Amino acid sequence: MINTLILYSTVHGQTLKICNAMAEQLRQCGEQVTMAAIDEAPALSEFDKVLIGASIRHGKHRANVYDFIREHQALLDSKITGFFSVSLVARKPAKNTPETNPYMQAFLEKSGWKPQLMAVFGGNLDYQGYGAMDRNIIRFIMWITKGPTDRHTCVEFTDWQKVNRFAQQFAAA
């Protein structure tokens, strides 16, 4: 049985929600799946495959994602790996692939890591779930990028069929 580790870095929970959906699919494919926050990762040596999901916060992946990859890159390079990024920018068709998403491209350049499989998914926009400062920053970013700015907006931009396809690709790897 293939032993798979899914690690996540999430702020508002959408990345964790996506990881849970992928974990269920991988289990249905016969894999043994362990999930953990990236800061609580078990020993990578115990796993055949590692999948990392990370959200964007104010235009960047969190520092703990880069720290983890830097610390474990040799082990990651010896395994089947995948990485996906979750952001509101990925709601746009011109920015929803690893090749066209500026956050994914910045991640690849900064991390120096090249996972075998990569994906980009749209996130969740829930103004009422944010604190005042985050709500105002995100509304401003949405205004600049021509997204929804009504403070009562709650919309999930995640393409769940795309998530399922990526999980199937990762299972087949």
Side-chain angles (χ1 to χ4, degrees):
M1 180 178 282
I2 295 173
N3 201 6
T4 300
L5 175 62
I6 299 178
L7 298 173
Y8 58 89
S9 174
T10 190
V11 177
H12 298 290
Q14 190 68 11
T15 302
L16 177 57
K17 185 176 178 181
I18 292 169
C19 286
N20 281 323
M22 287 191 186
E24 183 56 34
Q25 270 208 280
L26 294 172
R27 287 181 184 113
Q28 289 175 9
C29 291
E31 296 188 21
Q32 175 71 38
V33 179
T34 300
M35 276 187 40
I38 201 160
D39 292 331
E40 300 168 5
L44 296 185
S45 58
E46 316 253 330
F47 299 92
D48 306 304
K49 297 163 75 172
V50 179
L51 177 61
I52 300 174
S55 63
I56 294 296
R57 178 155 173 91
H58 304 310
K60 298 182 227 172
H61 290 97
R62 293 166 69 198
N64 63 348
V65 176
Y66 294 105
D67 294 344
F68 180 86
I69 291 167
R70 196 171 15 263
E71 184 177 336
H72 301 284
Q73 187 160 358
L75 260 175
L76 288 168
D77 289 343
S78 72
K79 299 186 178 296
I80 296 168
T81 57
F83 177 79
F84 67 90
S85 180
V86 180
S87 70
L88 292 173
V89 167
R91 76 187 188 281
K92 295 183 167 195
K95 295 184 179 183
N96 71 358
T97 69
E99 298 77 25
T100 62
N101 185 277
Y103 299 131
M104 178 65 87
Q105 291 304 306
F107 167 81
L108 293 171
E109 184 175 325
K110 184 176 178 179
S111 72
W113 180 47
K114 184 72 172 174
Q116 287 99 340
L117 293 169
M118 295 177 281
V120 175
F121 304 117
N124 185 52
L125 179 62
D126 179 8
Y127 287 122
Q128 296 303 305
Y130 308 142
M133 187 170 79
D134 278 347
R135 183 171 37 251
N136 288 328
I137 290 169
I138 294 169
R139 283 182 73 208
F140 179 68
I141 293 167
M142 285 290 119
W143 178 74
I144 290 171
T145 62
K146 301 188 181 358
T149 57
D150 182 292
R151 68 179 60 131
H152 300 290
T153 299
C154 182
V155 61
E156 188 174 65
F157 291 105
T158 305
D159 179 341
W160 291 103
Q161 290 181 341
K162 186 176 178 183
V163 169
N164 291 339
R165 283 191 304 272
F166 183 71
Q168 289 168 359
Q169 289 173 333
F170 193 70

